[in-house]
Amino acid sequence: MTRHVTGASAFQNCGVFFVKMVSYKRLSPEDVQFSNTAASEEPPEEVTEVKAPEESERPLLPRRPSCSATTAIISLGFLLLMASGIWLLGTIFWLHAPSSSAPHMAPPPRPSPGVGKAIPDPQACAGVPEAWRFDCYPERGVVVTRELCEARNCCFIPASSPPPVRNSVPWCFYSPTFPSYSLVSLNQTEQGEVGTLVRTVKTYYPKDVLTLQLEVLYETDHRLRVRISDPSASRFEVPIAVPNATEKASSPAYSVELSKDPFGLVVKRTSSGTVLLNTTVAPLFFCDQFLQLSSSLSSQYVYGLGEHRSSFLHDIHWNTLTMWARDAAPMELTNLYGAHPFYLTMEEGGRGTAHGFFLLNSNAMDVVLQPGPAVTWRTIGGILDFYVFLGPDPASVIGQYLEVVGYPSMPVYWALGYHLCRWGYGSSSATWDVVKNMRNYGIPQDVQWNDIDYMDHALDFTFDPANFSTLPDMVKDLHNHGQRYVMILDPGISSVQQEGRYWPYDEGLKRGVFINHSDGKTLIGKVWPGQTAFPDFSDPVTHEWWYDNLKRFHDQVPFDGLWIDMNEPSNFVDGSTVGCPDNELENPPYTPGVLGGLLRAKTVCASALQKTSLHYNMHSLYGLLEAKASANALRRILGKRAFVISRSTFPSQGLYSGHWLGDNRSHWKDMYTSIAGMLTFNLLGVPLVGADVCGFSEQSDEELCVRWTQLGAFYPFSRNHNTLGEPAQDPTAFSPLARAAMRQSLLLRYSLFPLLYTLFHRAHTHGHTVARPLLFEFPEDVRTYGIDKQFLWGRSLLVTPVLDPGVDYVVGYFPQGLWYDYYTGDSVRSKGEELRLHAPLDKINLYLREGAIIPTQRPNTTLWVSSGQPLHLISCLTEDGSATGELFWDDGESLDTFETDQYAEIVFSVVKNTMTSEVLRDHVEASYMTVETASIYGVKSKPSRVTVNSHDAAFSYRDNQVLTVTDLGLNLSQNFTISWM
């Protein structure tokens, strides 16, 4: 790394961190240091250093060279080639065309007064390897020519044939000398440093902010925060609560270097020197509606960045992930329902270290991953406010991220049962019949749902007086059987009902709760009931109005939870029924790759007015704020934990709701991709997540539905949901064999409820994941980094579902160690290898990891009954005969039981042929529970004697080294000991 320390540099060395203000040339790829050469196996070409002119002399636009005859001939040939290329490009379209009009084109070249042209040095351009070319012309729908590119003072090199399309090597990219900001001052503060950044050459986007404020905040030893903002004007900042440090971390695990000219930030892990963040690889942009920050990545292993349909491990080969909440059935390369600008990266070197990055920004954005490896954040509003989390293990990274955005709430117990829904039951009687059939077949079910067909003409807070006249009676019957009822609500409120006939709209209009057009009038869109107004959930007045509506409806139909859908918000027309203004908010200088090509596509106008800010800034927050209003209202109405499932999500969502993965299809591929979605949302702090079991749209066949029910039994949130017009796909709709297999898998889920409930407690109190990728438990095993066909519950239960049709086996990867078959206790010692497992149609393979003790219980058809059944403890011994586990238990529904110490916590352990329980905290709920049986897997020889609290006990021992002790009758509230010799 070429580094020139100037006399004006500031240097500080305090503890294990240091900050340098240094003067860099633009870093070339070979200057980026990785912790392992695997990050860039082919050495990049050497870049010839070109002396940059003084800032005052740097031209924005290239200066044309003189033209010779030879040059003219070459140029003519090139023009012919370009004409042919343009003709070919006539047949190439972007993945998603605009929904109603052409995409907004790139702004024309805009030189500063007095600035001439200077084409980037060809030798310097040629020296930039393809993997490190940062796109200088990212606008979609534009055929980028040499003239257009060089008008931006950028390099133009046709990298390959055919011409570039989305997600490929850019032909137009920044030169090593492209103008950026300079760091002109740096001062120490109580939390870190504050500096001033200055740009003297304007960019090709309008309204450059030429002077910026830099804040570097050493918030904790494992959390660094950096803010880049406009000191002269207030800009939108995301209105979620985040912690504010009051003093500088004493012993940070990171060091920070600040380059002076051009400005850049380099963050390293002090223990290894690994570069976690290096923004010197490309220029910084900060315009009114275009902010861009690029950085090297420490490896190719990148996760998170929801919500997108993809593999769990993201592809970094020119992969653009767009974030702007959108009503779109899950498909690849598309912005979906939520926006989560957070990633986790496993670092190179095989040490299992990880770090995370979070950009606190809600505006429309593109996140570009390229094979450098590198990332570019490109957003069209707000500020650059980002965090780096040091881990060092992946689970710690997630915990540190959730310390910022909030730990997920503790779910009500019945949320973890089996849920059943469909669009098109048609009546409350038909809905009720399905519930009764489930009971008759002894199939577990805790919650019955209704889609929009329960409403009167699709009007929120109503029910069809003819077809759903018995809905209140059905809900009463559910409650009598220990079951619960959830119904859908959409945010669109009908605006065309006769005055005085529809209280939600009349009252909402009176209180002024709806989103307005830019002219101040109520914005009207179109959703299921026809013309609708959209509540502004950024306004506290709207929250009270929402509560009043829910309370009025609850007095008629005593529902237990809410399903909030269409809350991106979704709109059947673009913007509004009268369109949107033609302004820079609707047509920004740069539009990220949103489905439809326009910010207003299938949602409300970007220029619409909300209480907190413009919809342009608030759009992706809509689902979060509606979930907050809904959860708070339910707590007031019920006096218990709220159950809310939301389609649109944003960071902090787990505080208020869970999430389902949207309108999937009844395809095997959709079942497979649901695992990646589930794991990703656990990283994002929304552990109560699952996909529609058996698929939402199209018809599910019997084999697919059986296999999906087996997988769905291990979604943290498990719901079977079906679309209008398709055959029923609830378990009672299939053959006796299929029905029995589904019932067995659901009973299995219910038997594991104590484990699942305890995992949610750990998520709520410590930010742990519930459904967990293998790499979290085996971060030093690189083979786990791409696994998304298997997953863990917690640290110990390995789930290996069948994801292909017509097979009776499945291949699963077993990390190094001792594993036990959950059902039999048979052991497998793996060296870190794939194993072929028998998987008939009625079985999902489960294995337990050595060293675990998990609590299970006798299952029943509802969790209300199951949760009172006796416990069965399964201990899985390590080679030295040890194991540990825990159980969290409370009444399952009261608010803040952990925070108010209204819970029981028991720790189990096995050491030297003795199993003990220790009651860390007692509670009356635990006194109702007994431990009936205990199985110990891995007891190497048959005991001659077993004692329970020093009294002889009956036992059995099998040749596969499983010891079982039955008829224990031990009170969970009292310590006990089981010994064998």
Side-chain angles (χ1 to χ4, degrees):
M1 180 180 292
T2 304
R3 182 179 302 165
H4 305 289
V5 181
T6 67
S9 300
F11 177 84
Q12 179 179 358
N13 190 335
C14 180
V16 297
F17 81 94
F18 60 92
V19 178
K20 294 181 181 178
M21 189 202 300
V22 294
S23 181
Y24 284 99
K25 69 174 185 179
R26 175 80 59 204
L27 283 195
S28 56
E30 63 265 30
D31 293 320
V32 181
Q33 299 299 313
F34 297 97
S35 55
N36 189 298
T37 55
S40 53
E41 294 179 359
E42 296 182 8
E45 299 174 28
E46 183 177 352
V47 178
T48 302
E49 183 173 357
V50 179
K51 183 178 180 181
E54 295 298 323
E55 284 287 352
S56 60
E57 299 175 354
R58 288 183 181 176
L60 176 65
L61 300 180
R63 180 177 291 108
R64 294 185 183 275
S66 59
C67 182
S68 65
T70 302
T71 303
I73 293 172
I74 293 173
S75 298
L76 179 61
F78 178 77
L79 288 173
L80 289 173
L81 286 173
M82 287 302 301
S84 300
I86 293 170
W87 179 80
L88 288 172
L89 281 174
T91 61
I92 299 176
F93 295 92
W94 296 115
L95 177 63
H96 306 297
S99 56
S100 61
S101 63
H104 187 69
M105 302 299 286
R110 191 176 56 85
S112 302
V115 176
K117 296 183 177 181
I119 297 173
D121 179 79
Q123 189 174 5
C125 291
V128 180
E130 289 187 357
W132 290 94
R133 294 178 181 177
F134 293 87
D135 197 349
C136 180
Y137 221 112
E139 288 78 12
R140 289 160 176 78
V142 179
V143 178
V144 183
T145 63
R146 180 180 296 275
E147 183 179 14
L148 286 173
C149 179
E150 293 182 349
R152 292 189 169 187
N153 201 23
C154 288
C155 300
F156 185 81
I157 299 178
S160 58
S161 182
V165 294
R166 185 182 180 185
N167 296 343
S168 65
V169 181
W171 288 20
C172 182
F173 56 95
Y174 300 110
S175 68
T177 57
F178 191 93
S180 187
Y181 288 86
S182 298
L183 177 60
V184 298
S185 70
L186 185 69
N187 297 303
Q188 304 300 308
T189 68
E190 291 184 359
Q191 292 83 36
E193 285 79 40
V194 61
T196 300
L197 308 179
V198 173
R199 172 185 279 279
T200 59
V201 178
K202 292 185 177 181
T203 69
Y204 44 84
Y205 286 108
K207 300 181 182 178
D208 290 278
V209 181
L210 297 178
T211 301
L212 300 174
Q213 177 173 284
L214 167 72
E215 296 173 85
V216 182
L217 307 171
Y218 305 89
E219 294 201 331
T220 73
D221 288 347
H222 292 87
R223 183 177 80 227
L224 172 72
R225 185 180 187 183
V226 178
R227 287 168 49 88
I228 301 175
S229 58
D230 182 352
S232 62
S234 176
R235 293 177 61 84
F236 177 76
E237 297 188 36
V238 180
I240 64 173
V242 296
N244 290 311
T246 57
E247 59 184 21
K248 185 184 296 186
S250 59
S251 301
Y254 48 85
S255 63
V256 177
E257 297 175 20
L258 299 174
S259 65
K260 180 182 178 182
D261 187 14
F263 164 72
L265 175 78
V266 179
V267 180
K268 296 179 180 179
R269 185 181 297 280
T270 55
S271 62
S272 63
T274 302
V275 176
L276 310 183
L277 195 70
N278 181 356
T279 71
T280 68
V281 295
L284 170 68
F285 281 69
F286 200 117
C287 308
D288 182 44
Q289 291 182 273
F290 186 87
L291 292 75
Q292 182 170 283
L293 178 77
S294 298
S295 173
S296 63
L297 290 167
S298 63
S299 81
Q300 62 184 312
Y301 303 112
V302 179
Y303 311 86
L305 299 174
E307 179 175 13
H308 299 92
R309 173 162 143 158
S310 69
S311 56
F312 178 56
L313 172 62
H314 284 299
D315 180 6
I316 64 163
H317 292 85
W318 308 107
N319 184 11
T320 299
L321 302 168
T322 300
M323 295 187 189
W324 179 251
R326 179 60 151 86
D327 174 4
M331 66 185 85
E332 286 77 6
L333 301 177
T334 304
N335 54 303
L336 297 179
Y337 310 106
H340 293 265
F342 165 83
Y343 69 72
L344 177 142
T345 297
M346 297 300 298
E347 298 164 22
E348 292 280 6
R351 291 184 297 271
T353 51
H355 69 272
F357 181 99
F358 171 45
L359 176 63
L360 183 54
N361 186 292
S362 62
N363 290 94
M365 71 175 72
D366 284 334
V367 184
V368 184
L369 301 173
Q370 64 188 71
V375 60
T376 294
W377 299 86
R378 192 181 294 138
T379 184
I380 61 173
I383 68 171
L384 295 174
D385 185 358
F386 57 88
Y387 295 82
V388 182
F389 307 102
L390 272 289
D393 60 279
S396 297
V397 172
I398 301 306
Q400 292 155 15
Y401 169 59
L402 296 185
E403 287 175 359
V404 171
V405 302
Y407 291 156
S409 61
M410 184 67 187
V412 63
Y413 76 94
W414 52 260
L416 307 185
Y418 181 62
H419 302 242
L420 192 55
C421 182
R422 78 158 298 159
W423 180 17
Y425 284 123
S427 70
S428 50
S429 296
T431 309
W432 205 342
D433 286 342
V434 172
V435 175
K436 293 173 182 176
N437 287 339
M438 292 284 285
R439 292 175 190 162
N440 290 338
Y441 285 117
I443 301 173
Q445 182 191 2
D446 262 81
V447 194
Q448 181 60 51
W449 298 42
N450 275 124
D451 209 317
I452 60 172
D453 48 321
Y454 82 90
M455 298 180 185
D456 184 10
H457 295 90
L459 299 174
D460 276 355
F461 310 110
T462 69
F463 64 94
D464 185 337
N467 294 324
F468 281 82
S469 60
T470 61
L471 183 59
D473 296 324
M474 185 193 80
V475 175
K476 182 179 180 181
D477 177 74
L478 288 170
H479 291 169
N480 288 338
H481 286 82
Q483 296 172 301
R484 298 295 182 267
Y485 179 70
V486 171
M487 86 286 184
I488 196 171
L489 278 179
D490 296 333
I493 301 297
S494 175
S495 61
V496 294
Q497 303 306 305
Q498 185 178 345
E499 187 175 354
R501 299 291 297 274
Y502 188 48
W503 193 87
Y505 181 71
D506 294 340
E507 187 66 17
L509 207 59
K510 184 188 302 182
R511 301 190 198 182
V513 306
F514 298 119
I515 294 176
N516 290 327
H517 263 297
S518 55
D519 62 5
K521 297 178 181 178
T522 301
L523 184 147
I524 303 299
K526 185 177 181 181
V527 199
W528 298 114
Q531 293 188 16
T532 56
F534 298 88
D536 175 10
F537 289 104
S538 76
D539 189 347
V541 174
T542 307
H543 287 225
E544 193 65 24
W545 166 86
W546 191 246
Y547 161 77
D548 289 340
N549 279 285
L550 289 169
K551 180 65 169 64
R552 286 163 59 93
F553 189 66
H554 190 268
D555 289 342
Q556 302 175 67
V557 180
F559 59 87
D560 301 283
L562 288 178
W563 171 20
I564 52 176
D565 191 17
M566 307 288 286
N567 57 347
E568 290 72 33
S570 179
N571 188 0
F572 294 167
V573 296
D574 292 348
S576 79
T577 55
V578 296
C580 303
D582 183 10
N583 59 27
E584 61 188 7
L585 293 171
E586 301 296 335
N587 303 293
Y590 175 80
T591 300
V594 298
L595 178 60
L598 301 166
L599 296 182
R600 62 182 175 271
K602 298 301 179 284
T603 191
V604 303
C605 299
S607 57
L609 303 177
Q610 295 189 232
K611 176 73 173 180
T612 298
S613 184
L614 297 165
H615 191 74
Y616 181 90
N617 298 316
M618 299 293 295
H619 172 80
S620 290
L621 292 162
Y622 196 89
L624 169 67
L625 296 177
E626 186 192 12
K628 182 177 182 180
S630 300
N632 289 341
L634 282 178
R635 292 187 187 106
R636 291 171 64 184
I637 293 169
L638 302 174
K640 300 176 181 177
R641 298 174 204 166
F643 175 79
V644 181
I645 293 294
S646 175
R647 190 168 75 178
S648 186
T649 61
F650 191 80
S652 294
Q653 194 79 31
L655 284 167
Y656 311 108
S657 84
H659 173 63
W660 96 103
L661 297 173
D663 295 341
N664 60 1
R665 298 163 296 172
S666 296
H667 294 179
W668 290 88
K669 181 180 180 181
D670 288 65
M671 178 168 63
Y672 156 60
T673 58
S674 74
I675 299 177
M678 171 184 65
L679 295 177
T680 294
F681 270 89
N682 270 266
L683 266 61
L684 301 175
V686 189
L688 188 63
V689 62
D692 282 346
V693 174
C694 301
F696 171 70
S697 65
E698 305 183 31
Q699 182 176 349
S700 179
D701 63 63
E702 184 166 277
E703 182 189 9
L704 173 61
C705 203
V706 169
R707 292 302 194 188
W708 209 326
T709 302
Q710 291 169 347
L711 169 60
F714 291 90
Y715 291 157
F717 166 60
S718 182
R719 182 187 70 165
N720 181 317
H721 180 40
N722 193 10
T723 192
L724 186 69
E726 295 294 349
Q729 62 183 33
D730 63 87
T732 69
F734 294 100
S735 70
L737 179 63
R739 189 166 59 240
M742 294 182 191
R743 177 178 180 272
Q744 182 174 311
S745 63
L746 294 175
L747 286 171
L748 179 59
R749 175 188 180 88
Y750 277 50
S751 72
L752 289 162
F753 172 70
L755 169 64
L756 184 59
Y757 195 67
T758 301
L759 291 175
F760 268 98
H761 162 68
R762 300 296 294 180
H764 170 59
T765 57
H766 293 82
H768 291 182
T769 51
V770 175
R772 188 169 301 173
L774 272 69
L775 72 91
F776 270 47
E777 292 299 322
F778 303 94
E780 295 183 1
D781 184 351
V782 178
R783 293 190 65 180
T784 66
Y785 287 13
I787 291 177
D788 56 11
K789 292 186 175 183
Q790 297 170 275
F791 57 95
L792 294 157
W793 265 14
R795 64 176 301 272
S796 304
L797 183 63
L798 177 62
V799 184
T800 308
V802 172
L803 302 171
D804 299 298
V807 297
D808 62 359
Y809 70 93
V810 63
V811 175
Y813 180 73
F814 285 72
Q816 183 175 355
L818 187 60
W819 296 86
Y820 295 93
D821 186 311
Y822 172 82
Y823 305 102
T824 66
D826 293 345
S827 61
V828 173
R829 178 164 295 282
S830 173
K831 299 177 182 178
E833 56 195 305
E834 290 186 338
L835 300 175
R836 177 169 166 151
L837 309 172
H838 185 50
L841 189 61
D842 62 351
K843 180 182 181 181
I844 182 170
N845 275 274
L846 303 177
Y847 277 78
L848 289 168
R849 182 182 177 187
E850 63 177 315
I853 300 176
I854 67 165
T856 69
Q857 63 189 165
R858 188 184 307 157
N860 210 293
T861 54
T862 67
L863 286 177
W864 177 252
V865 178
S866 292
S867 61
Q869 297 299 302
L871 293 179
H872 172 56
L873 302 178
I874 302 176
S875 302
C876 305
L877 303 186
T878 60
E879 192 65 34
D880 65 3
S882 63
T884 59
E886 64 177 332
L887 173 66
F888 173 86
W889 209 248
D890 60 11
D891 68 6
E893 58 185 10
S894 293
L895 296 168
D896 303 323
T897 58
F898 175 74
E899 291 75 8
T900 58
D901 296 332
Q902 298 300 308
Y903 67 94
E905 184 176 11
I906 298 95
V907 173
F908 308 103
S909 64
V910 176
V911 179
K912 296 181 179 179
N913 296 347
T914 299
M915 179 181 185
T916 60
S917 79
E918 181 183 1
V919 180
L920 299 184
R921 177 175 293 280
D922 195 14
H923 187 262
V924 64
E925 291 294 330
S927 67
Y928 305 142
M929 301 286 293
T930 60
V931 176
E932 194 68 22
T933 59
S935 293
I936 300 94
Y937 296 170
V939 178
K940 295 180 180 179
S941 60
K942 182 178 180 179
S944 59
R945 183 187 180 196
V946 174
T947 62
V948 177
N949 292 335
S950 301
H951 298 287
D952 287 339
F955 66 93
S956 64
Y957 181 82
R958 299 199 304 270
D959 291 341
N960 61 349
Q961 300 185 342
V962 174
L963 169 65
T964 302
V965 187
T966 58
D967 300 322
L968 293 172
L970 299 170
N971 192 304
L972 190 63
S973 289
Q974 299 175 1
N975 296 343
F976 63 79
T977 300
I978 303 174
S979 299
W980 57 96
M981 57 196 76

